[in-house]
Amino acid sequence: MEALTFNQGVKASLPTALGYVSIGIACGVVGASSGISPLEMGLMSALVYGGSAQFIMCALLAAHAPVSSIVLTVFLVNLRNFLMSLHATTIFEKASLLDGIFIGSLITDESYGVLLNTYTHQKQIAPIWMHGNNVTGYITWVLSVFISTILGQYIPNPEQFGLDFALVAMFVAIFAAQFEAIVITTTVKKIVAVLGAVSLSYFVLASLVSESMA
């Protein structure tokens, strides 16, 4: 089977890249309403590159939370990236160290979801395809957040447009796409067991720590 190319990775990521635009707009507007400048939001997007983490950072910065608290919270929120990167290494077993670092640095829930859907149909995926998938999302996110932060200075109340729900909506869409791919290769009993364990874990943790931490 012919190896997938960088351009095919770009093409595969376009639907989620469009989602990045809507979430980026929401993030930029929330950042602006939190008193964060476009340059600061642009740098945050380029260096942190985590939608949910950036929404939380905006809230913590607006509340003048200590730096140590912000760093710990962002680390815990993005901890799932370790698991996604670990699984990606099983798909790109022959990738070089540099390719592995590049893939792990830019992998997100969305690009990982695109990878899983593609892997369901084609087991041989070249690292260059994943670079196309990752880079497209990265560039789209940084530009969307930066530009929307500039425009967001003129939108004092983003909640009235439902922008605070945008991140939740995207995660629902990602889950739906991954679920469609999972049911092809996994039994219903196993899927129910996994979802049940995740749900139970969340409710137990939510009773001990904050909901965002859980």
Side-chain angles (χ1 to χ4, degrees):
M1 184 177 291
E2 185 177 351
L4 298 175
T5 65
F6 181 89
N7 287 338
Q8 287 174 308
V10 172
K11 184 177 180 180
S13 110
L14 287 179
T16 55
L18 292 176
Y20 278 172
V21 173
S22 61
I23 305 302
I25 291 174
C27 187
V29 171
V30 169
S33 65
S34 300
I36 304 174
S37 72
L39 178 59
E40 290 170 334
M41 284 300 295
L43 288 173
M44 183 194 296
S45 300
L47 299 175
V48 177
Y49 187 43
S52 54
Q54 289 181 227
F55 276 95
I56 293 173
M57 285 182 70
C58 290
L60 292 176
L61 288 170
H64 303 290
V67 174
S68 58
S69 176
I70 296 175
V71 171
L72 178 60
T73 302
V74 170
F75 173 76
L76 292 174
V77 168
N78 284 342
L79 198 59
R80 68 190 186 283
N81 287 15
F82 283 102
L83 297 176
M84 293 188 291
S85 297
L86 184 62
H87 181 237
T89 62
T90 65
I91 298 176
F92 303 104
E93 292 181 337
K94 297 181 180 179
S96 66
L97 177 61
L98 189 60
D99 279 329
I101 292 174
F102 197 41
I103 290 173
S105 298
L106 296 183
I107 197 169
T108 63
D109 301 283
E110 295 79 17
S111 66
Y112 178 67
V114 173
L115 172 62
L116 290 185
N117 290 338
T118 303
Y119 188 62
T120 301
H121 306 289
Q122 181 161 337
K123 299 302 180 182
Q124 298 298 322
I125 303 177
I128 192 67
W129 176 91
M130 191 61 182
H131 295 329
N133 177 19
N134 278 339
V135 170
T136 302
Y138 179 73
I139 294 175
T140 303
W141 175 256
V142 174
L143 291 178
S144 297
V145 173
F146 177 72
I147 294 173
S148 60
T149 305
I150 297 175
L151 300 177
Q153 298 176 73
Y154 305 100
I155 304 177
N157 184 19
E159 288 81 6
Q160 65 180 323
F161 300 104
L163 295 179
D164 54 327
F165 187 73
L167 189 67
V168 178
M170 170 167 264
F171 273 112
V172 171
I174 294 169
F175 174 77
Q178 291 187 11
F179 188 78
E180 290 179 359
I182 290 172
V183 294
I184 298 176
T185 57
T186 308
T187 63
V188 174
K189 183 178 180 180
K190 187 174 183 179
I191 294 174
V192 171
V194 171
L195 294 179
V198 171
S199 300
L200 181 61
S201 298
Y202 169 75
F203 285 115
V204 171
L205 286 171
S207 65
L208 301 174
V209 297
S210 67
E211 289 188 8
S212 57
M213 188 76 75

